[in-house]
Amino acid sequence: MSSAEHASSFSEGDAAPPSSAVPTLADFEDAAATLEGVIAHTPLDRSQHLSDVLGVPVHLKLENLQRTGSFKIRGATYRLSRLTAEERARGVVAASAGNHAQGVALAAKALGIHATIFMPLGVPVPKLLATRGYGADVVLEGATVETPLRMAAEFAERTGAVFIHPFDHHDVIAGQGTLGLELMDEVPDLDTIVLGIGGGGLIAGVAAAVKARAAAEGRTVRVIGVQAANSAAYPPSLEARRPLEIPTSPTIADGIAVARPGDLPFEIIRDLVDEVVTVTEDDIARALLVLLERAKQVVEPAGAVGVAAILAGKVVAHGPTVTVLSGGNIDPLLLQRVVAHGLSASGRYMTLRIPLPDRPGQLARVSELLAIAGANVIEVLHTRHGQGLQISEVILQLSVETRGEEHRAHVISVLEDAGYGPTVVPD
């Protein structure tokens, strides 16, 4: 994000605010009062599976069940509620790949404010339809969110509309921080909070609210942030003591794929967040699968990174722990792909390519071996056509269901012991 885009984060076009702009406990309490009756007080669900993994009680905060399907409605509503009558008349503009767009669109509709939202061309269809359904004018442009951000800033300058930044604003952070107050009320002996980081608005608000409340009660609460390893700007930025823009790689956790930390969130995270860890794409896919199977929760990849960190052994906690499922707006087609990837990453699904001599009985023999090994065949492709095949060879490609890494290795071993040369096909 360019410096111009950061400047346009604030309604008056000023640079990032000084330390005094960090929300106070009174700010969070005012935001909570404003949001009462507007947002849902989402459930808290005890996860026995994650409790066994971590060795302490683990609760899931189900913000995936929040209005618009994510926590973003908190910050968007509070930010818009504090606009002056003159600012409301000018309308608002935002840029987002989905969740912030929906939050701003619904908040604007409730307050009678005209909203224009710039979104990338590849935005998931459910998020696009929901944003339009809330009454916002949607403009699709660009391959990534960086183009919509630039265009939204230009639109604000050209029309006078108020730019609503997704994370780099005092009021947005104050609104997101109301989640922290809820957690303190729901888990009085709360020890650790684990949640994802994109630009940093959510964790900045939660950390500031929780640390302030805990200090008033004479105790401490640890806050651990999690980023997707393919888009992790915070670890190098924290090491450098200033926000850095980094090159990013594609990640399924697109909701937290931000190349540069927000200025104000970074300031708060640097001072108040205890640790930031990263998780891989496989870690995230496994977490989504666990949430589907064990918690019966549909969660988008960005909302599952806290669970991914716990499962990957990246979190150490000594008392009751909450991880926030921050969003549930996942495209069904992506969910299908992620579940398949999660099964593979968990050793429960694999595709094998096996060269066979082209003579009768070979397919039956391989099927018999797989049955002996206890693997369930899902799909079969048998072909004589392929690059590098000899005239007397065929290729058998099998997708099989297994029971985990140990069983997966056993299946491969059974085939190899019988004289076959199976190769695992990457996802």
Side-chain angles (χ1 to χ4, degrees):
M1 190 185 310
S2 70
S3 58
E5 287 158 1
H6 278 283
S8 64
S9 306
F10 307 99
S11 60
E12 308 215 350
D14 295 330
S19 299
S20 59
V22 175
T24 65
L25 184 56
D27 292 329
F28 293 117
E29 291 171 344
D30 178 74
T34 299
L35 297 177
E36 188 65 37
V38 177
I39 62 167
H41 285 264
T42 51
L44 194 74
D45 186 35
R46 168 75 179 266
S47 170
Q48 188 58 52
H49 178 63
L50 293 178
S51 299
D52 292 341
V53 170
L54 198 56
V56 297
V58 176
H59 304 271
L60 305 173
K61 180 62 170 173
L62 306 184
E63 282 291 285
N64 57 310
L65 304 181
Q66 183 58 262
R67 296 188 68 188
T68 73
S70 90
F71 72 94
K72 289 286 190 176
I73 187 66
R74 296 173 181 267
T77 299
Y78 188 59
R79 170 81 169 97
L80 267 62
S81 74
R82 290 173 59 79
L83 295 177
T84 66
E86 185 271 335
E87 287 173 324
R88 295 186 186 196
R90 283 154 45 193
V92 297
V93 60
S96 167
N99 288 342
H100 179 60
Q102 293 174 76
V104 171
L106 182 58
K109 180 180 180 180
L111 294 168
I113 302 172
H114 182 265
T116 301
I117 312 291
F118 288 81
M119 305 180 81
L121 289 167
V123 63
V125 173
K127 295 182 179 182
L128 170 62
L129 295 179
T131 303
R132 282 179 171 161
Y134 294 136
D137 290 338
V138 177
V139 180
L140 297 175
E141 194 69 49
T144 69
V145 77
E146 299 305 318
T147 299
L149 276 168
R150 175 180 54 78
M151 295 184 70
E154 292 171 352
F155 181 90
E157 185 173 348
R158 183 173 69 253
T159 66
V162 180
F163 186 86
I164 306 298
H165 199 282
F167 49 80
D168 207 354
H169 192 279
H170 172 283
D171 294 339
V172 171
I173 293 172
Q176 317 299 30
T178 60
L179 177 59
L181 298 185
E182 281 185 37
L183 296 180
M184 294 289 283
D185 291 338
E186 293 166 338
V187 188
D189 56 347
L190 181 60
D191 175 82
T192 302
I193 301 173
V194 185
L195 68 167
I197 308 179
L202 175 62
I203 195 171
V206 168
V210 165
K211 299 279 185 173
R213 173 75 72 81
E217 297 173 359
R219 64 190 187 93
T220 61
V221 175
R222 295 180 68 240
V223 179
I224 298 174
V226 186
Q227 290 207 286
N230 283 3
S231 185
Y234 268 91
S237 295
L238 290 169
E239 185 175 354
R241 306 291 293 174
R242 61 185 178 85
L244 299 177
E245 184 166 347
I246 64 161
T248 62
S249 300
T251 173
I252 57 174
D254 61 324
I256 55 172
V258 177
R260 183 189 187 279
D263 293 326
L264 182 53
F266 176 81
E267 183 180 320
I268 297 170
I269 291 166
R270 180 196 61 206
D271 296 338
L272 297 181
V273 171
D274 297 274
E275 186 179 5
V276 175
V277 300
T278 62
V279 290
T280 67
E281 300 297 287
D282 281 355
D283 293 335
I284 300 169
R286 289 190 196 99
L288 286 172
L289 191 61
V290 166
L291 286 166
L292 279 171
E293 293 188 328
R294 299 298 186 99
K296 316 306 177 192
Q297 295 296 322
V298 177
V299 182
E300 62 188 273
V305 294
V307 172
I310 292 173
L311 293 172
K314 300 292 185 72
V315 174
V316 176
H318 303 287
T321 298
V322 172
T323 184
V324 179
L325 308 186
S326 56
N329 294 316
I330 184 169
D331 187 308
L333 293 176
L334 174 60
L335 179 61
Q336 182 182 31
R337 296 197 303 271
V338 169
V339 167
H341 188 84
L343 287 168
S344 178
S346 300
R348 294 170 52 192
Y349 179 90
M350 65 176 168
T351 299
L352 297 170
R353 285 174 59 87
I354 309 171
L356 300 176
D358 190 9
R359 60 174 182 261
Q362 291 300 305
L363 178 57
R365 175 58 178 153
V366 171
S367 298
E368 180 184 10
L369 290 169
L370 290 171
I372 292 170
N376 185 36
V377 178
I378 305 299
E379 189 175 22
V380 178
L381 173 64
H382 184 269
T383 180
R384 291 179 172 85
H385 309 291
Q387 189 173 13
L389 281 180
Q390 302 297 320
I391 293 177
S392 59
E393 280 187 323
V394 297
I395 283 290
L396 178 63
Q397 184 163 304
L398 296 160
S399 295
V400 299
E401 183 181 17
T402 51
R403 297 189 297 272
E405 292 292 351
E406 187 175 339
H407 185 221
R408 176 172 166 158
H410 173 66
V411 171
I412 294 171
S413 176
V414 166
L415 291 169
E416 290 175 339
D417 291 345
Y420 296 104
T423 301
V424 178
V425 179
D427 294 336

mmCIF file with all atom_site columns, all heavy atoms in Angstrom, residues 381-395:
data_model
loop_
_atom_site.group_PDB
_atom_site.id
_atom_site.type_symbol
_atom_site.label_atom_id
_atom_site.label_alt_id
_atom_site.label_comp_id
_atom_site.label_asym_id
_atom_site.label_entity_id
_atom_site.label_seq_id
_atom_site.pdbx_PDB_ins_code
_atom_site.Cartn_x
_atom_site.Cartn_y
_atom_site.Cartn_z
_atom_site.occupancy
_atom_site.B_iso_or_equiv
_atom_site.pdbx_formal_charge
_atom_site.auth_seq_id
_atom_site.auth_comp_id
_atom_site.auth_asym_id
_atom_site.auth_atom_id
_atom_site.pdbx_PDB_model_num
ATOM 1   N N   . LEU A 1 381 ? -7.811 -43.981 -12.769 1.00 0.00 ? 381 LEU A N   1
ATOM 2   C CA  . LEU A 1 381 ? -7.547 -43.628 -14.170 1.00 0.00 ? 381 LEU A CA  1
ATOM 3   C C   . LEU A 1 381 ? -6.516 -44.610 -14.701 1.00 0.00 ? 381 LEU A C   1
ATOM 4   O O   . LEU A 1 381 ? -5.425 -44.739 -14.139 1.00 0.00 ? 381 LEU A O   1
ATOM 5   C CB  . LEU A 1 381 ? -7.025 -42.196 -14.285 1.00 0.00 ? 381 LEU A CB  1
ATOM 6   C CG  . LEU A 1 381 ? -6.564 -41.762 -15.686 1.00 0.00 ? 381 LEU A CG  1
ATOM 7   C CD1 . LEU A 1 381 ? -7.749 -41.761 -16.660 1.00 0.00 ? 381 LEU A CD1 1
ATOM 8   C CD2 . LEU A 1 381 ? -5.910 -40.399 -15.635 1.00 0.00 ? 381 LEU A CD2 1
ATOM 9   N N   . HIS A 1 382 ? -6.852 -45.307 -15.784 1.00 0.00 ? 382 HIS A N   1
ATOM 10  C CA  . HIS A 1 382 ? -5.975 -46.322 -16.367 1.00 0.00 ? 382 HIS A CA  1
ATOM 11  C C   . HIS A 1 382 ? -5.742 -45.938 -17.819 1.00 0.00 ? 382 HIS A C   1
ATOM 12  O O   . HIS A 1 382 ? -6.684 -45.871 -18.612 1.00 0.00 ? 382 HIS A O   1
ATOM 13  C CB  . HIS A 1 382 ? -6.667 -47.691 -16.253 1.00 0.00 ? 382 HIS A CB  1
ATOM 14  C CG  . HIS A 1 382 ? -5.831 -48.848 -16.720 1.00 0.00 ? 382 HIS A CG  1
ATOM 15  N ND1 . HIS A 1 382 ? -5.860 -49.317 -18.016 1.00 0.00 ? 382 HIS A ND1 1
ATOM 16  C CD2 . HIS A 1 382 ? -4.947 -49.641 -16.052 1.00 0.00 ? 382 HIS A CD2 1
ATOM 17  C CE1 . HIS A 1 382 ? -5.039 -50.361 -18.125 1.00 0.00 ? 382 HIS A CE1 1
ATOM 18  N NE2 . HIS A 1 382 ? -4.470 -50.578 -16.951 1.00 0.00 ? 382 HIS A NE2 1
ATOM 19  N N   . THR A 1 383 ? -4.485 -45.634 -18.192 1.00 0.00 ? 383 THR A N   1
ATOM 20  C CA  . THR A 1 383 ? -4.241 -45.126 -19.542 1.00 0.00 ? 383 THR A CA  1
ATOM 21  C C   . THR A 1 383 ? -2.962 -45.696 -20.137 1.00 0.00 ? 383 THR A C   1
ATOM 22  O O   . THR A 1 383 ? -1.993 -45.981 -19.422 1.00 0.00 ? 383 THR A O   1
ATOM 23  C CB  . THR A 1 383 ? -4.160 -43.585 -19.556 1.00 0.00 ? 383 THR A CB  1
ATOM 24  O OG1 . THR A 1 383 ? -3.927 -43.138 -20.896 1.00 0.00 ? 383 THR A OG1 1
ATOM 25  C CG2 . THR A 1 383 ? -3.049 -43.074 -18.659 1.00 0.00 ? 383 THR A CG2 1
ATOM 26  N N   . ARG A 1 384 ? -2.991 -45.875 -21.448 1.00 0.00 ? 384 ARG A N   1
ATOM 27  C CA  . ARG A 1 384 ? -1.794 -46.289 -22.194 1.00 0.00 ? 384 ARG A CA  1
ATOM 28  C C   . ARG A 1 384 ? -1.097 -45.086 -22.814 1.00 0.00 ? 384 ARG A C   1
ATOM 29  O O   . ARG A 1 384 ? -0.069 -45.224 -23.456 1.00 0.00 ? 384 ARG A O   1
ATOM 30  C CB  . ARG A 1 384 ? -2.173 -47.266 -23.313 1.00 0.00 ? 384 ARG A CB  1
ATOM 31  C CG  . ARG A 1 384 ? -2.645 -48.615 -22.821 1.00 0.00 ? 384 ARG A CG  1
ATOM 32  C CD  . ARG A 1 384 ? -3.029 -49.508 -24.003 1.00 0.00 ? 384 ARG A CD  1
ATOM 33  N NE  . ARG A 1 384 ? -3.301 -50.875 -23.584 1.00 0.00 ? 384 ARG A NE  1
ATOM 34  C CZ  . ARG A 1 384 ? -4.487 -51.281 -23.137 1.00 0.00 ? 384 ARG A CZ  1
ATOM 35  N NH1 . ARG A 1 384 ? -5.479 -50.404 -23.054 1.00 0.00 ? 384 ARG A NH1 1
ATOM 36  N NH2 . ARG A 1 384 ? -4.674 -52.521 -22.778 1.00 0.00 ? 384 ARG A NH2 1
ATOM 37  N N   . HIS A 1 385 ? -1.682 -43.920 -22.661 1.00 0.00 ? 385 HIS A N   1
ATOM 38  C CA  . HIS A 1 385 ? -1.159 -42.715 -23.323 1.00 0.00 ? 385 HIS A CA  1
ATOM 39  C C   . HIS A 1 385 ? -0.508 -41.812 -22.290 1.00 0.00 ? 385 HIS A C   1
ATOM 40  O O   . HIS A 1 385 ? -1.100 -41.479 -21.274 1.00 0.00 ? 385 HIS A O   1
ATOM 41  C CB  . HIS A 1 385 ? -2.286 -41.961 -24.026 1.00 0.00 ? 385 HIS A CB  1
ATOM 42  C CG  . HIS A 1 385 ? -3.106 -42.841 -24.918 1.00 0.00 ? 385 HIS A CG  1
ATOM 43  N ND1 . HIS A 1 385 ? -2.619 -43.375 -26.075 1.00 0.00 ? 385 HIS A ND1 1
ATOM 44  C CD2 . HIS A 1 385 ? -4.387 -43.291 -24.792 1.00 0.00 ? 385 HIS A CD2 1
ATOM 45  C CE1 . HIS A 1 385 ? -3.556 -44.120 -26.654 1.00 0.00 ? 385 HIS A CE1 1
ATOM 46  N NE2 . HIS A 1 385 ? -4.642 -44.082 -25.892 1.00 0.00 ? 385 HIS A NE2 1
ATOM 47  N N   . GLY A 1 386 ? 0.717  -41.407 -22.557 1.00 0.00 ? 386 GLY A N   1
ATOM 48  C CA  . GLY A 1 386 ? 1.407  -40.513 -21.635 1.00 0.00 ? 386 GLY A CA  1
ATOM 49  C C   . GLY A 1 386 ? 2.847  -40.347 -22.038 1.00 0.00 ? 386 GLY A C   1
ATOM 50  O O   . GLY A 1 386 ? 3.463  -41.254 -22.630 1.00 0.00 ? 386 GLY A O   1
ATOM 51  N N   . GLN A 1 387 ? 3.402  -39.216 -21.709 1.00 0.00 ? 387 GLN A N   1
ATOM 52  C CA  . GLN A 1 387 ? 4.777  -38.909 -22.082 1.00 0.00 ? 387 GLN A CA  1
ATOM 53  C C   . GLN A 1 387 ? 5.732  -39.862 -21.367 1.00 0.00 ? 387 GLN A C   1
ATOM 54  O O   . GLN A 1 387 ? 5.639  -40.082 -20.165 1.00 0.00 ? 387 GLN A O   1
ATOM 55  C CB  . GLN A 1 387 ? 5.098  -37.460 -21.705 1.00 0.00 ? 387 GLN A CB  1
ATOM 56  C CG  . GLN A 1 387 ? 6.428  -36.975 -22.252 1.00 0.00 ? 387 GLN A CG  1
ATOM 57  C CD  . GLN A 1 387 ? 6.627  -35.488 -21.995 1.00 0.00 ? 387 GLN A CD  1
ATOM 58  O OE1 . GLN A 1 387 ? 5.912  -34.900 -21.227 1.00 0.00 ? 387 GLN A OE1 1
ATOM 59  N NE2 . GLN A 1 387 ? 7.600  -34.905 -22.653 1.00 0.00 ? 387 GLN A NE2 1
ATOM 60  N N   . GLY A 1 388 ? 6.650  -40.444 -22.117 1.00 0.00 ? 388 GLY A N   1
ATOM 61  C CA  . GLY A 1 388 ? 7.666  -41.301 -21.514 1.00 0.00 ? 388 GLY A CA  1
ATOM 62  C C   . GLY A 1 388 ? 7.262  -42.749 -21.357 1.00 0.00 ? 388 GLY A C   1
ATOM 63  O O   . GLY A 1 388 ? 8.066  -43.572 -20.916 1.00 0.00 ? 388 GLY A O   1
ATOM 64  N N   . LEU A 1 389 ? 6.019  -43.110 -21.701 1.00 0.00 ? 389 LEU A N   1
ATOM 65  C CA  . LEU A 1 389 ? 5.570  -44.491 -21.557 1.00 0.00 ? 389 LEU A CA  1
ATOM 66  C C   . LEU A 1 389 ? 6.145  -45.366 -22.673 1.00 0.00 ? 389 LEU A C   1
ATOM 67  O O   . LEU A 1 389 ? 6.225  -44.957 -23.836 1.00 0.00 ? 389 LEU A O   1
ATOM 68  C CB  . LEU A 1 389 ? 4.050  -44.574 -21.599 1.00 0.00 ? 389 LEU A CB  1
ATOM 69  C CG  . LEU A 1 389 ? 3.276  -44.210 -20.333 1.00 0.00 ? 389 LEU A CG  1
ATOM 70  C CD1 . LEU A 1 389 ? 1.781  -44.358 -20.600 1.00 0.00 ? 389 LEU A CD1 1
ATOM 71  C CD2 . LEU A 1 389 ? 3.698  -45.081 -19.168 1.00 0.00 ? 389 LEU A CD2 1
ATOM 72  N N   . GLN A 1 390 ? 6.563  -46.580 -22.297 1.00 0.00 ? 390 GLN A N   1
ATOM 73  C CA  . GLN A 1 390 ? 6.950  -47.560 -23.285 1.00 0.00 ? 390 GLN A CA  1
ATOM 74  C C   . GLN A 1 390 ? 5.695  -48.194 -23.888 1.00 0.00 ? 390 GLN A C   1
ATOM 75  O O   . GLN A 1 390 ? 4.610  -48.146 -23.303 1.00 0.00 ? 390 GLN A O   1
ATOM 76  C CB  . GLN A 1 390 ? 7.825  -48.639 -22.630 1.00 0.00 ? 390 GLN A CB  1
ATOM 77  C CG  . GLN A 1 390 ? 9.079  -48.096 -21.959 1.00 0.00 ? 390 GLN A CG  1
ATOM 78  C CD  . GLN A 1 390 ? 10.025 -47.428 -22.932 1.00 0.00 ? 390 GLN A CD  1
ATOM 79  O OE1 . GLN A 1 390 ? 10.211 -47.919 -24.056 1.00 0.00 ? 390 GLN A OE1 1
ATOM 80  N NE2 . GLN A 1 390 ? 10.597 -46.297 -22.539 1.00 0.00 ? 390 GLN A NE2 1
ATOM 81  N N   . ILE A 1 391 ? 5.853  -48.840 -25.056 1.00 0.00 ? 391 ILE A N   1
ATOM 82  C CA  . ILE A 1 391 ? 4.707  -49.467 -25.725 1.00 0.00 ? 391 ILE A CA  1
ATOM 83  C C   . ILE A 1 391 ? 4.082  -50.528 -24.840 1.00 0.00 ? 391 ILE A C   1
ATOM 84  O O   . ILE A 1 391 ? 2.867  -50.730 -24.841 1.00 0.00 ? 391 ILE A O   1
ATOM 85  C CB  . ILE A 1 391 ? 5.148  -50.063 -27.078 1.00 0.00 ? 391 ILE A CB  1
ATOM 86  C CG1 . ILE A 1 391 ? 5.551  -48.945 -28.036 1.00 0.00 ? 391 ILE A CG1 1
ATOM 87  C CG2 . ILE A 1 391 ? 4.043  -50.929 -27.693 1.00 0.00 ? 391 ILE A CG2 1
ATOM 88  C CD1 . ILE A 1 391 ? 6.079  -49.422 -29.365 1.00 0.00 ? 391 ILE A CD1 1
ATOM 89  N N   . SER A 1 392 ? 4.888  -51.175 -24.036 1.00 0.00 ? 392 SER A N   1
ATOM 90  C CA  . SER A 1 392 ? 4.403  -52.277 -23.207 1.00 0.00 ? 392 SER A CA  1
ATOM 91  C C   . SER A 1 392 ? 3.991  -51.828 -21.805 1.00 0.00 ? 392 SER A C   1
ATOM 92  O O   . SER A 1 392 ? 3.804  -52.655 -20.922 1.00 0.00 ? 392 SER A O   1
ATOM 93  C CB  . SER A 1 392 ? 5.485  -53.347 -23.079 1.00 0.00 ? 392 SER A CB  1
ATOM 94  O OG  . SER A 1 392 ? 6.662  -52.793 -22.496 1.00 0.00 ? 392 SER A OG  1
ATOM 95  N N   . GLU A 1 393 ? 3.869  -50.501 -21.592 1.00 0.00 ? 393 GLU A N   1
ATOM 96  C CA  . GLU A 1 393 ? 3.538  -49.987 -20.265 1.00 0.00 ? 393 GLU A CA  1
ATOM 97  C C   . GLU A 1 393 ? 2.193  -49.260 -20.265 1.00 0.00 ? 393 GLU A C   1
ATOM 98  O O   . GLU A 1 393 ? 1.763  -48.725 -21.290 1.00 0.00 ? 393 GLU A O   1
ATOM 99  C CB  . GLU A 1 393 ? 4.602  -48.987 -19.777 1.00 0.00 ? 393 GLU A CB  1
ATOM 100 C CG  . GLU A 1 393 ? 5.851  -49.611 -19.214 1.00 0.00 ? 393 GLU A CG  1
ATOM 101 C CD  . GLU A 1 393 ? 6.752  -48.542 -18.604 1.00 0.00 ? 393 GLU A CD  1
ATOM 102 O OE1 . GLU A 1 393 ? 6.828  -47.428 -19.166 1.00 0.00 ? 393 GLU A OE1 1
ATOM 103 O OE2 . GLU A 1 393 ? 7.383  -48.817 -17.576 1.00 0.00 ? 393 GLU A OE2 1
ATOM 104 N N   . VAL A 1 394 ? 1.560  -49.232 -19.093 1.00 0.00 ? 394 VAL A N   1
ATOM 105 C CA  . VAL A 1 394 ? 0.396  -48.382 -18.854 1.00 0.00 ? 394 VAL A CA  1
ATOM 106 C C   . VAL A 1 394 ? 0.627  -47.636 -17.546 1.00 0.00 ? 394 VAL A C   1
ATOM 107 O O   . VAL A 1 394 ? 1.494  -48.007 -16.741 1.00 0.00 ? 394 VAL A O   1
ATOM 108 C CB  . VAL A 1 394 ? -0.917 -49.197 -18.750 1.00 0.00 ? 394 VAL A CB  1
ATOM 109 C CG1 . VAL A 1 394 ? -1.205 -49.910 -20.051 1.00 0.00 ? 394 VAL A CG1 1
ATOM 110 C CG2 . VAL A 1 394 ? -0.858 -50.177 -17.582 1.00 0.00 ? 394 VAL A CG2 1
ATOM 111 N N   . ILE A 1 395 ? -0.121 -46.600 -17.364 1.00 0.00 ? 395 ILE A N   1
ATOM 112 C CA  . ILE A 1 395 ? -0.066 -45.864 -16.101 1.00 0.00 ? 395 ILE A CA  1
ATOM 113 C C   . ILE A 1 395 ? -1.404 -46.014 -15.387 1.00 0.00 ? 395 ILE A C   1
ATOM 114 O O   . ILE A 1 395 ? -2.466 -45.788 -15.986 1.00 0.00 ? 395 ILE A O   1
ATOM 115 C CB  . ILE A 1 395 ? 0.239  -44.368 -16.327 1.00 0.00 ? 395 ILE A CB  1
ATOM 116 C CG1 . ILE A 1 395 ? 1.719  -44.163 -16.632 1.00 0.00 ? 395 ILE A CG1 1
ATOM 117 C CG2 . ILE A 1 395 ? -0.139 -43.532 -15.093 1.00 0.00 ? 395 ILE A CG2 1
ATOM 118 C CD1 . ILE A 1 395 ? 2.652  -44.412 -15.449 1.00 0.00 ? 395 ILE A CD1 1
#
